[in-house]
Amino acid sequence: MGAPTPDNIMQLGLGFWASKTTLSAIELGVFTELAAGPADLPALQARLKLHPRSARDFLDALVALKLLERDDGIYRNSPDTDLFLDRAKPSYIGGILEMANARLYGFWGSLTEALRTGEMQNESKHKTDFFAALYAEPERVRGFLRAMSGISAGAAHAIAAKFDWSKYTTFADVGAAQGMVPVVVARAHPHLKAIGFDLPTVQPIFEEFVAQQGLSDRIRFQGGNFFDDPMPNVDVIVMGHILHDWDLAEKKLLLEKAFAALPKGGAVIAYDAVIDDERRENAFGLLMSLNMLIETPGGFDYTGVDCQAWMREAGFVSPRVVPLAGPDSMVIGFKPL
């Protein structure tokens, strides 16, 4: 053990410097611009409309953060940013970061108040229903759904690969958003047919995305509210980044409704940034739970042990936790035969 140093404290305490620099780069389209071809400082300054005082420091900060590369004064994307932060590529994950920049960055400034009051700090601070307000504005809902696709893409590919889909023919993604999970899973398993279940406002955005992927013949939309309406009758129900939005009673209700909708032998898959059972390692999951404090009246993230217990209480058997991509894991439960 070496002598204590302030390095970690300072990195965390001033971590918002690097975060906001990254978010502003996405907002300005730096990575999309460079995906079209490398460029020097004057060209980028002009194309991105950057003030000369800040342009060089900004771009070189992105180099130091390993988001850009620079050789002989020419800037280019790193391999990661070229793949994941070019808006023109289907692999773009920046939607969730765009939302973080436009919304969450400011709201997290009120975290201390949230910790003292237990009250959310987003647009609904003086309203009653964040989701109703969000879904009432078409452009905002489109941006939100695009963000959900970005945060679900990695998990979707892992679910397609790590769950045994050969035993089933139909599935539904409950809270499907733009449709990333149905598209990825259906493409990987041509024998499957899928339903995207979400509020009716989502339908045109969902159907447009599915059509762009050429999967309209196997994926359809079903409108509804998962608290007020029955869930689709399919072999497998997926709930991704859904359970953590709600309080304990609502979490249990959603699992009970999934159990009621499934046939004997059917399965439920709930995935989130599942917190490790010792609550020591998955910092992202714990921070996501604080984000639920900011964003929702009663939502919180949970451990695998927590979710397995809720599934058993709802009637599911043999629940297990399977790691997915990054901080996400899925908890799988089965309806008895």
Side-chain angles (χ1 to χ4, degrees):
M1 294 290 292
T5 76
D7 295 354
N8 185 54
I9 295 170
M10 292 300 291
Q11 184 174 1
L12 291 173
L14 298 175
F16 67 92
W17 288 2
S19 174
K20 191 63 180 77
T21 300
T22 302
L23 296 177
S24 288
I26 294 168
E27 180 182 3
L28 289 164
V30 171
F31 308 110
T32 301
E33 187 69 38
L34 284 172
D40 62 12
L41 176 60
L44 281 174
Q45 181 181 313
R47 279 148 47 183
L48 298 171
K49 298 181 173 59
L50 301 176
H51 192 280
R53 177 184 175 186
S54 57
R56 185 180 182 188
D57 286 347
F58 174 57
L59 294 169
D60 286 348
L62 294 173
V63 172
L65 292 169
K66 312 302 182 188
L67 299 172
L68 295 182
E69 298 173 354
R70 188 194 68 235
D71 294 297
D72 298 325
I74 303 298
Y75 295 89
R76 60 176 53 81
N77 286 334
S78 72
D80 291 346
T81 56
D82 196 63
L83 179 62
F84 295 116
L85 292 179
D86 173 13
R87 293 190 184 108
K89 291 186 175 70
S91 51
Y92 180 67
I93 64 166
I96 185 65
L97 299 176
E98 291 177 17
M99 185 180 77
N101 189 42
R103 297 182 57 254
L104 298 181
Y105 188 84
F107 297 145
W108 268 71
S110 300
L111 177 62
T112 304
E113 180 181 347
L115 292 169
R116 285 176 171 158
T117 65
E119 296 177 357
M120 55 186 173
Q121 301 297 315
N122 63 6
E123 298 95 338
S124 297
K125 191 171 183 178
H126 304 295
K127 299 177 183 177
T128 56
D129 191 335
F130 158 63
F131 287 108
L134 173 68
Y135 276 62
E137 300 179 29
E139 279 311 305
R140 287 186 64 206
V141 74
R142 184 176 289 273
F144 176 75
L145 299 182
R146 189 166 56 243
M148 292 305 97
S149 286
I151 203 171
S152 298
H157 287 280
I159 291 168
K162 294 187 176 186
F163 182 76
D164 184 4
W165 292 98
S166 65
K167 303 175 182 179
Y168 308 101
T169 59
T170 60
F171 74 98
D173 186 16
V174 172
Q178 196 177 24
M180 178 63 73
V181 171
V183 162
V184 169
V185 173
R187 182 182 290 125
H189 300 279
H191 72 285
L192 291 173
K193 291 189 175 181
I195 293 172
F197 184 83
D198 212 316
L199 296 174
T201 309
V202 174
Q203 183 167 359
I205 301 168
F206 179 93
E207 290 180 343
E208 177 186 354
F209 182 72
V210 170
Q212 288 171 350
Q213 310 302 316
L215 289 168
S216 298
D217 58 329
R218 290 196 289 126
I219 302 175
R220 66 178 180 86
F221 184 84
Q222 180 176 326
N225 180 309
F226 49 50
F227 285 118
D228 299 334
D229 303 309
M231 291 188 185
N233 294 121
V234 291
D235 298 331
V236 179
I237 288 176
V238 180
M239 289 186 282
H241 302 139
I242 294 296
L243 286 186
H244 75 161
D245 288 334
W246 309 101
D247 66 26
L248 181 57
E250 291 164 328
K251 284 174 166 64
K252 291 182 176 182
L253 176 60
L254 290 175
L255 289 171
E256 291 167 3
K257 295 190 74 167
F259 186 86
L262 289 167
K264 292 180 179 179
V268 64
I269 299 172
Y271 75 88
D272 274 302
V274 176
I275 300 167
D276 59 289
D277 292 337
E278 293 296 320
R279 298 175 60 86
R280 294 177 183 274
E281 301 298 329
N282 191 353
F284 185 93
L286 290 161
L287 293 171
M288 179 62 83
S289 200
L290 292 179
N291 192 58
M292 291 302 101
L293 168 65
I294 296 288
E295 289 276 64
T296 69
F300 62 92
D301 283 75
Y302 49 88
T303 67
V305 165
D306 292 334
C307 193
Q308 290 175 89
W310 303 332
M311 285 187 177
R312 290 190 187 98
E313 188 176 332
F316 293 102
V317 297
S318 304
R320 64 177 188 268
V321 180
V322 179
L324 296 173
D328 278 349
S329 294
M330 61 179 169
V331 187
I332 306 169
F334 300 91
K335 188 166 180 174
L337 292 170

